[in-house]
Amino acid sequence: MKLSTKSRYGVRAMFDMAYHAGTLPAQIKDISRRQNISPRYLEQIFQDLKKAGLLKSRRGPQGGYSLAKPADEITVREIVLAAEGELQLVDCVKNRRKKGEKEPACDFDNQCLTQHLWAKASQILGDYFDSITLKDLCDQGKEMGLEKELDHRFMYFI
Amino acid sequence: MKLSTKSRYGVRAMFDMAYHAGTLPAQIKDISRRQNISPRYLEQIFQDLKKAGLLKSRRGPQGGYSLAKPADEITVREIVLAAEGELQLVDCVKNRRKKGEKEPACDFDNQCLTQHLWAKASQILGDYFDSITLKDLCDQGKEMGLEKELDHRFMYFI
DNA sequence: ATTAATCTCTACTTTGTCTGTCAAGAATAA
DNA sequence: TTATTCTTGACAGACAAAGTAGAGATTAAT
């Protein structure tokens, strides 16, 4: 019943981007250093987030990733969903007969009381995650007096 | 972010016991047959539930397991907690320095915004599970017209 | 007392997922 | 042209989940 590191790192990384957002795209190496996440691994996570339409990227020098939408339009739910693949606490709730699977995930199918229980729980969890945006986290960060690191690349331009 | 089968089987099995409750203790083999759970595996799960004080057992012929409390005093949360071990969506919320562990689970410790986020989510989930008792599930079952299997052991006494 | 039914405990195996690492390639700004 | 950065896919080690198995302890019934 644990969230995977992909979800946790994903939220941390995207928060980091929103918090330190500048004019230039953010680079993996900076985010990974600030958040102490393996850069190679973060790349993978960002691929997922990009596929989900939460990030956009630019290659080449001065390239990097940036948020695909304003911070107040990106919810924790979207990030977790993209990283985790889905937001169900249990598999038997899922659609049957998706490609390749011949057996339903559960023998009792719709006769099952507990199925409804888990589905409701998953929904409650999703609703909570949906109520929190990256902007909310940034506001919290400011309140806490969390330091923003100066973008070292600005140094060259001053 | 999936619940383990221990939780799911545990809830199903305990619901089954509450729903089919008779004067005699329920036996593993009956529950496992009705709920289609490996009897050996169910034994293990029942050990956990017994340690948690949710079940009591009697050995020998006509032995078996029975609920340690009335069905309306056993919540889903208790069962999941006993089967899952804990109810936290992430580890970094846990107490540090428990036996053997030298490192904190997270480098940012209490400086972390997301830590609070996950803790709150875990709590919301726990609250929901706490609001549902075995009796609630039984009532639902009756409403749905879920069949009760006649206890075959009664046959001998009629 | 004996027997058969049942729970108890511990260890083992299998299987799969998580968490990363690595290498080679493609795109792009300077 | 070149250095930088993202892109993609393969791969591996560690760990936990899920289930199997066997030997033993307890007890009701005979």
Side-chain angles (χ1 to χ4, degrees):
Chain A
M1 220 201 40
K2 295 276 179 284
L3 268 86
S4 70
T5 54
K6 281 196 174 187
S7 297
R8 298 196 289 114
Y9 292 175
V11 172
R12 284 232 310 272
M14 291 203 57
F15 160 72
D16 184 280
M17 291 177 66
Y19 203 63
H20 295 98
T23 51
L24 295 172
Q27 296 183 349
I28 292 268
K29 66 178 178 191
D30 292 324
I31 302 171
S32 76
R33 177 174 38 76
R34 284 193 296 252
Q35 294 293 327
N36 199 28
I37 300 170
S38 149
R40 299 301 215 124
Y41 193 35
L42 194 52
E43 270 176 26
Q44 279 185 43
I45 297 171
F46 273 16
Q47 293 305 313
D48 295 334
L49 297 177
K50 195 189 166 183
K51 270 177 207 144
L54 300 177
L55 289 180
K56 54 190 178 189
S57 61
R58 219 174 63 185
R59 300 211 246 195
Q62 304 297 333
Y65 293 89
S66 44
L67 303 182
K69 296 188 288 184
D72 61 350
E73 290 176 22
I74 300 181
T75 71
V76 171
R77 181 173 184 281
E78 290 177 284
I79 304 173
V80 173
L81 187 56
E84 206 83 11
E86 61 175 30
L87 265 179
Q88 296 295 342
L89 287 169
V90 130
D91 278 335
C92 67
V93 182
K94 287 192 297 189
N95 295 355
R96 308 296 134 62
R97 315 284 161 145
K98 52 181 220 187
K99 54 168 171 97
E101 283 185 48
K102 16 188 182 291
E103 296 295 328
C106 168
D107 314 308
F108 299 90
D109 214 358
N110 287 321
Q111 286 262 24
C112 186
L113 288 172
T114 55
Q115 181 172 323
H116 178 251
L117 176 66
W118 309 131
K120 183 84 181 280
S122 307
Q123 186 217 311
I124 287 176
L125 202 55
D127 287 347
Y128 173 64
F129 286 153
D130 217 17
S131 74
I132 300 191
T133 69
L134 282 186
K135 179 163 184 304
D136 295 332
L137 292 179
C138 287
D139 291 346
Q140 260 183 272
K142 274 175 211 157
E143 265 181 47
M144 287 177 57
L146 206 61
E147 272 185 39
K148 291 192 193 187
E149 175 180 275
L150 270 182
D151 191 325
H152 64 85
R153 286 175 299 172
F154 281 158
M155 305 305 184
Y156 303 124
F157 300 136
I158 296 174
Chain B
M1 218 201 42
K2 295 273 178 283
L3 270 89
S4 71
T5 54
K6 281 197 173 184
S7 297
R8 298 197 287 116
Y9 292 175
V11 172
R12 285 233 307 273
M14 291 203 59
F15 159 72
D16 183 281
M17 291 177 66
Y19 203 63
H20 296 98
T23 51
L24 294 172
Q27 297 181 347
I28 291 268
K29 65 176 178 194
D30 292 324
I31 301 172
S32 75
R33 177 174 37 75
R34 286 193 295 254
Q35 295 293 327
N36 197 29
I37 299 170
S38 149
R40 294 304 216 130
Y41 193 35
L42 194 53
E43 272 177 25
Q44 278 186 39
I45 297 170
F46 273 15
Q47 292 305 314
D48 294 334
L49 296 177
K50 194 186 167 188
K51 269 177 210 146
L54 302 176
L55 290 180
K56 54 190 179 190
S57 62
R58 218 175 63 187
R59 301 210 246 195
Q62 305 297 332
Y65 292 89
S66 44
L67 302 182
K69 296 187 290 184
D72 62 349
E73 289 177 23
I74 300 181
T75 72
V76 171
R77 180 173 184 282
E78 290 176 285
I79 305 174
V80 173
L81 187 57
E84 206 81 11
E86 62 175 30
L87 263 178
Q88 295 295 341
L89 288 170
V90 312
D91 279 334
C92 67
V93 182
K94 287 192 298 191
N95 296 353
R96 306 299 134 60
R97 318 282 160 144
K98 53 183 219 189
K99 54 168 169 96
E101 283 184 49
K102 8 177 187 299
E103 296 295 327
C106 168
D107 314 308
F108 299 90
D109 215 358
N110 285 322
Q111 285 264 23
C112 187
L113 289 171
T114 56
Q115 181 171 324
H116 178 251
L117 175 66
W118 308 132
K120 184 85 180 282
S122 308
Q123 186 217 311
I124 288 175
L125 202 56
D127 287 347
Y128 173 64
F129 286 153
D130 217 18
S131 74
I132 300 190
T133 69
L134 282 185
K135 179 164 185 301
D136 296 330
L137 292 179
C138 288
D139 291 346
Q140 259 184 271
K142 274 176 210 152
E143 265 181 46
M144 286 176 55
L146 205 62
E147 273 185 37
K148 290 191 193 189
E149 176 180 274
L150 271 181
D151 192 324
H152 65 85
R153 284 173 302 172
F154 280 158
M155 304 305 183
Y156 303 123
F157 300 136
I158 294 176

